């Protein structure tokens, strides 16, 4: 089995929708994520998954220029990730198709993890 990272890209519009959800609607949205991630976990393929805060810092270049977030000004926002195992990139992509971020025109970037050594 190979390892893959699924990176969740939200849109600013989706982030606004999430921010305005009632507690009940937010709980229903979180349940969609729990079911999807739980399905991957039930197959023994989940390594880990977390949401990311919209704030942070960036370190750029050899001179170590540090800038503050938030990073929500762009067209896409990296909102979380999932690490999983799969037998192929195609299998990982099939799992990505069930991600709830896609309901709001988000993107799931599926990347194989490169092994060194």
């Amino acid at each position: 089995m190979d390892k893959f990272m699924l990176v969740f890209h939200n849109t600013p519009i989706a982030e606004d929708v999430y921010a305005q959800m009632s507690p009940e609607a937010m709980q229903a949205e979180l349940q969609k994520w729990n079911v999807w991630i739980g399905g991957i976990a039930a197959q023994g393929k989940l390594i880990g998954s977390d949401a990311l805060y919209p704030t942070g810092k960036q370190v750029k270049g050899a001179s170590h220029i540090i800038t503050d977030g938030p990073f929500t000004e762009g067209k896409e926002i990296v909102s979380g990730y999932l690490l999983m195992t799969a037998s192929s990139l195609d299998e990982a992509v099939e799992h990505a198709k069930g991600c709830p971020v896609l309901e709001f025109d988000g993107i799931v970037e599926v990347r194989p993890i490169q092994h060194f050594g």
Side-chain angles (χ1 to χ4, degrees), residues 8 30-43 45-46 48-50 81-82 98-100:
F8 313 131
L30 289 173
Q31 184 60 22
K32 291 178 191 176
W33 283 89
N34 289 337
V35 167
W36 177 66
I37 293 169
I40 294 170
Q43 296 176 45
K45 296 178 182 282
L46 179 67
S49 181
D50 283 303
Y81 68 93
L82 181 141
C99 182

Side-chain angles (χ1 to χ4, degrees), residues 5-65:
M5 176 176 272
L6 282 59
V7 181
F8 313 131
H9 298 265
N10 251 338
T11 63
I13 292 170
E15 291 292 315
D16 288 342
V17 169
Y18 290 138
Q20 295 176 24
M21 283 184 175
S22 68
E24 297 80 14
M26 181 55 75
Q27 188 62 37
E29 187 62 29
L30 289 173
Q31 184 60 22
K32 291 178 191 176
W33 283 89
N34 289 337
V35 167
W36 177 66
I37 293 169
I40 294 170
Q43 296 176 45
K45 296 178 182 282
L46 179 67
I47 297 170
S49 181
D50 283 303
L52 299 173
Y53 285 106
T55 58
K57 296 194 180 277
Q58 289 181 330
V59 180
K60 182 177 180 180
S63 60
H64 304 136
I65 298 169

Side-chain angles (χ1 to χ4, degrees), residues 70-81:
F71 307 110
T72 57
E73 291 83 17
K75 295 178 186 176
E76 298 170 3
I77 302 155
V78 176
S79 58
Y81 68 93

Side-chain angles (χ1 to χ4, degrees), residues 20-21 43 51 89 91 96 104 113 117:
Q20 295 176 24
M21 283 184 175
Q43 296 176 45
L89 179 58
E91 180 189 346
F104 292 100
I113 294 177

